[in-house]
Amino acid sequence: MVPEGPYQHERFRVSRQPYTGLLYDALDSGRWRRAAVVGCVQSGKTFAAFLVVLVWILFELCETVVCGVPQMGIAGDKWREEIKPVINATRYRRLLPVGGKGSRGGMSDAMEFRNGATLKFMSGSGKDHTRSAFTSRNLVCTEVDKYDTAGVTSREAPPITQMEDRTLADPERARIILECTASIPTGRIWTEYSEGTASRIVVECPACKAWTTPEREHLVGWQDAKSIVEAGRLARWVCPGPGCAVTWTERQRRSMNRDARLIHKGQTIDAEGQVRGEEPATDTLGFRWNAFNNMFWTAKTVGQAEWSAARREDEDAAEKEMLQFFWARPWEPPEIELNPLSAAQIRRRTSRFPRGQVPDDAIAITAGVDLGKWLAHYTVIAWLPNERAVGIDYGIIEINTDRLGLKKATTVALRELRDLVAAYPKQSGGTAGADQVWIDSGWHETRDVVYQFCREEANRGRFYPSKGFGQLQARDKTYRRPGKKTPEIRVIGDEYHFARQREAKVDLVHVNADHWKSQTHEAYRLNADAAGSLTLFAAPEREHRPYAKHMTAETQKEIDIPGKGPVIVWERKRRANHWFDATYLAVAAGHRAAEVLAKAGRSAARSGEWFAGRKTTKRSRRA
Ligand SMILES: [Zn+2]
């Protein structure tokens, strides 16, 4: 019987949390000597992967088991609050010790049951003499990432290895189960999981019949919510299947989970449910489930948690919690940055201009757009005299992929964006439109859509597809500055150029992403009244928080590239960096807008100085 939680006093059934059925089948199959189990919280993880397993070994197999805990000090609590209540809720409660320390509330580090099986606790920290004296073929360890990673106090092997050595008397028949929530990528559980079978739970979409593993990015809708209530209402699961993207109801999700399958690293599963590929050669089952598989949660629960986390003051802690506790993924602590720009710095950089209003003295307006499958992020910058610039607007346009399909939905979103940037109200009446709009077309799925949109708008000469090139991306993605203009190379700017795409009949802007990201951060770092600075429209600090998080989702690092020497590169530390991409495109487009205006003889020289000033700074820093 389940001793606590939503199904208290009812029989334990794998159908309530279907991942448990897959786990037990895999453990029962006897194909793996070891198992590393990682899952989300509040899904019955400890119950399913630790307590039930202990009871199974002790009473159904009638075998002795070594139980690893982080510190010996918590063994007593584990026994009284977790293990004993579970045994008490089974028909094996009559086998509890009647005499001695383990009988009435008390406990010892070796509890002997009346069927002859013993539960032996071992500690994962410090020196533990008990680790060397006891042998059993069964080892079940909980919270393994909290164990000492190496013999800090001695030159001994890490505690977990010492515990595993206790099974060596019978290595072929050893049964070792490690359980934990994910911590960091190099933590024990994630290492064991990924070096093991790294198995994943796949579910079949009732619409497209594809078998996929829904992850964090497949919970959508909550991003646009204005309140936590709305976040709960808008949050929904969408199918990751190619070209599908239907929304799943909670009922569908439940039944899909009940029919879920488990496949292993390197394997795929086709629409007929046929698994392809060899099982990896390893003795360790790596088993993982995430929020999608937790039937105690709905899209609403998780969407609200995401929405709140995105607004927490301590961003790193919030992100860490979401990854580890909800998505069963490790969190990577951010590295030390060169000239770190904090989210708080960006939030406070407000100007006196309200959102969406163009200052009267604006020389040019540019916009950058980052396109995803579900959302388009955009940033709009107004270029002012005295070498200043202000972000007058940024935002999100939803791409209605699940209703219209990706391509049509992207076109609709781009048209919405076009109408938005065509007429921003000016301070003292009238409107002004964007001079240059650079739209990221780097994603192959929507590249042609962006090309077509820009071609249709070509007579206005404002919309250009763009593609960012950066050092830390694949090797062939490094930006290469062309030597001279040709019929193909139409414009050579500062770390960007326009290259004619013959078939598509559009000019694609190649942008050195590393360079323009550095320029953008530097502009935010300068004093707000300094030449070459960038500020934001007036809003409470809180309102700029999500934008500021995106702007600091990447860090710049100096690395040595063989044959090139030290270069500044950008590394992503959080997934959500879309406004950063949109903003650096808008900044680079500002350079182009200034050149176009200068050629047209308008008083644009001053706008060009924004960039001139920035270059000087850069050169002096290099020197
Ligand atoms: Zn589907």
Side-chain angles (χ1 to χ4, degrees):
M1 312 295 276
V2 181
E4 57 170 39
Y7 295 98
Q8 194 176 16
H9 303 320
E10 290 182 42
R11 272 184 178 281
F12 173 78
R13 299 201 185 285
V14 295
S15 57
R16 290 181 186 133
Q17 286 288 18
Y19 78 81
T20 55
L22 294 171
L23 174 64
Y24 296 152
D25 282 349
L27 294 179
D28 253 350
S29 74
R31 281 184 288 168
W32 299 281
R33 216 168 55 85
R34 307 168 76 248
V37 183
V38 57
C40 59
V41 299
Q42 291 171 31
S43 60
K45 177 172 68 67
T46 309
F47 183 70
F50 175 61
L51 299 169
V52 169
V53 171
L54 280 183
V55 170
W56 169 56
I57 297 173
L58 286 169
F59 303 117
E60 307 226 311
L61 305 179
C62 298
E63 288 181 22
T64 286
V65 57
V66 170
C67 174
V69 291
Q71 292 103 28
M72 213 38 142
I74 67 165
D77 287 346
K78 284 262 173 230
W79 168 252
R80 276 185 303 276
E81 288 162 26
E82 299 182 32
I83 304 172
K84 201 171 171 206
V86 168
I87 299 174
N88 259 324
T90 68
R91 61 179 173 278
Y92 304 112
R93 61 179 168 272
R94 63 192 163 82
L95 299 177
L96 282 164
V98 283
K101 275 172 157 178
S103 55
R104 261 181 288 153
M107 62 99 49
S108 75
D109 61 17
M111 318 281 285
E112 196 181 334
F113 299 92
R114 298 173 73 194
N115 63 351
T118 296
L119 172 63
K120 166 73 179 168
F121 287 99
M122 285 189 190
S123 130
S125 63
K127 279 199 178 296
D128 183 354
H129 66 276
T130 67
R131 280 204 294 263
S132 55
F134 197 93
T135 63
S136 161
R137 75 158 168 141
N138 300 299
L139 171 66
V140 177
C141 293
T142 187
E143 300 177 56
V144 293
D145 281 20
K146 292 183 187 161
Y147 298 8
D148 288 349
T149 47
V152 184
T153 49
S154 68
R155 301 179 69 182
E156 292 169 3
I160 211 152
T161 309
Q162 293 178 35
M163 289 185 209
E164 287 204 26
D165 286 349
R166 301 298 94 216
T167 66
L168 284 180
D170 201 354
E172 285 308 304
R173 295 173 63 236
R175 182 184 290 120
I176 297 161
I177 296 161
L178 315 174
E179 172 266 319
C180 201
T181 43
S183 60
I184 54 172
T186 51
R188 168 69 66 161
I189 203 70
W190 198 255
T191 312
E192 295 277 3
Y193 167 78
S194 25
E195 289 175 4
T197 58
S199 306
R200 57 194 182 93
I201 297 176
V202 288
V203 293
E204 185 184 28
C205 171
C208 70
K209 306 292 173 198
W211 289 85
T212 58
T213 304
E215 297 280 358
R216 191 178 192 181
E217 53 271 36
H218 306 116
L219 181 79
V220 302
W222 59 268
Q223 290 90 342
D224 311 325
K226 307 275 185 301
S227 70
I228 190 157
V229 177
E230 202 185 2
R233 202 174 60 236
L234 295 178
R236 60 193 200 277
W237 302 102
V238 291
C239 174
C244 179
V246 297
T247 293
W248 292 325
T249 64
E250 285 299 327
R251 233 182 113 160
Q252 285 173 322
R253 173 177 160 242
R254 181 166 292 272
S255 98
M256 288 160 66
N257 267 286
R258 283 190 183 162
D259 296 329
R261 312 256 309 261
L262 189 69
I263 62 172
H264 313 295
K265 186 161 55 185
Q267 291 187 324
T268 54
I269 180 166
D270 63 23
E272 279 70 50
Q274 200 67 246
V275 176
R276 315 238 171 234
E278 293 290 305
E279 250 177 45
T282 164
D283 66 350
T284 304
L285 167 74
F287 190 95
R288 169 180 172 263
W289 69 94
N290 67 20
F292 181 80
N293 310 108
N294 182 3
M295 292 298 117
F296 296 164
W297 289 338
T298 59
K300 176 183 170 187
T301 330
V302 188
Q304 291 189 330
E306 286 280 14
W307 189 89
S308 306
R311 277 150 192 86
R312 283 229 326 249
E313 185 59 42
D314 187 344
E315 311 153 7
D316 285 341
E319 178 69 5
K320 178 176 161 194
E321 194 179 301
M322 286 314 300
L323 280 173
Q324 298 177 343
F325 295 171
F326 284 73
W327 299 106
R329 290 206 161 275
W331 174 77
E332 197 149 15
E335 284 185 53
I336 305 299
E337 301 173 39
L338 279 175
N339 294 323
L341 176 64
S342 77
Q345 264 174 293
I346 292 182
R347 298 201 297 264
R348 290 186 206 116
R349 293 188 60 85
T350 51
S351 62
R352 62 197 164 83
F353 303 105
R355 182 176 210 145
Q357 194 184 80
V358 178
D360 277 339
D361 56 353
I363 297 159
I365 299 170
T366 60
V369 185
D370 173 88
L371 276 184
K373 187 171 181 182
W374 309 106
L375 303 170
H377 288 73
Y378 64 88
T379 303
V380 183
I381 297 177
W383 301 90
L384 311 180
N386 308 319
E387 301 160 53
R388 284 170 309 111
V390 53
I392 56 165
D393 194 14
Y394 56 76
I396 298 173
I397 292 177
E398 189 166 0
I399 301 176
N400 247 319
T401 301
D402 51 352
R403 254 200 303 131
L404 304 173
L406 179 64
K407 291 185 173 156
K408 180 92 178 80
T410 303
T411 307
V412 170
L414 286 174
R415 285 183 185 147
E416 191 179 324
L417 177 98
R418 172 196 64 198
D419 298 342
L420 177 83
V421 301
Y424 273 110
K426 292 181 82 165
Q427 234 177 320
S428 51
T431 61
D435 298 275
Q436 293 270 327
V437 182
W438 290 8
I439 305 164
D440 174 40
S441 62
W443 189 33
H444 64 97
E445 295 265 352
T446 50
R447 188 191 60 199
D448 293 341
V449 177
V450 180
Y451 282 1
Q452 192 188 337
F453 172 82
C454 293
R455 190 168 58 240
E456 283 167 13
E457 300 292 326
N459 51 350
R460 279 172 257 197
R462 289 189 290 155
F463 296 89
Y464 294 96
S466 67
K467 195 172 172 189
F469 293 79
Q471 193 69 249
L472 269 201
Q473 299 173 2
R475 207 180 202 172
D476 58 332
K477 296 276 188 67
T478 308
Y479 179 76
R480 285 190 189 81
R481 197 175 307 113
K484 58 176 174 25
K485 279 203 217 174
T486 65
E488 271 72 45
I489 308 297
R490 319 262 277 209
V491 172
I492 300 179
D494 180 16
E495 300 297 309
Y496 66 84
H497 63 268
F498 285 43
R500 190 67 179 168
Q501 307 299 296
R502 271 210 183 140
E503 240 168 76
K505 298 196 187 71
V506 285
D507 292 341
L508 171 68
V509 193
H510 294 233
V511 189
N512 181 344
D514 290 334
H515 171 83
W516 286 105
K517 283 174 180 173
S518 296
Q519 296 281 301
T520 305
H521 263 215
E522 181 109 5
Y524 270 125
R525 205 164 19 236
L526 285 173
N527 282 336
D529 51 3
S533 73
L534 185 56
T535 54
L536 286 170
F537 58 84
E541 228 184 288
R542 198 179 160 75
E543 194 181 322
H544 286 310
R545 197 170 284 159
Y547 173 84
K549 273 190 78 167
H550 280 225
M551 290 306 297
T552 51
E554 296 180 21
T555 52
Q556 57 179 332
K557 286 171 54 179
E558 199 172 74
I559 60 164
D560 249 339
I561 299 218
K564 268 193 175 178
V567 288
I568 307 278
V569 296
W570 287 83
E571 225 176 39
R572 193 163 72 166
K573 56 179 182 174
R574 283 192 292 271
R575 255 169 192 282
N577 58 354
H578 311 297
W579 272 315
F580 190 21
D581 284 342
T583 305
Y584 91 74
L585 286 177
V587 169
H591 184 276
R592 177 63 190 153
E595 289 212 328
V596 171
L597 291 171
K599 278 213 185 91
R602 281 164 62 183
S603 64
R606 301 206 67 86
S607 154
E609 281 169 21
W610 189 93
F611 300 94
R614 320 242 348 78
K615 261 193 273 180
T616 318
T617 326
K618 201 167 173 225
R619 263 201 299 276
S620 63
R621 264 205 313 148
R622 269 189 187 148

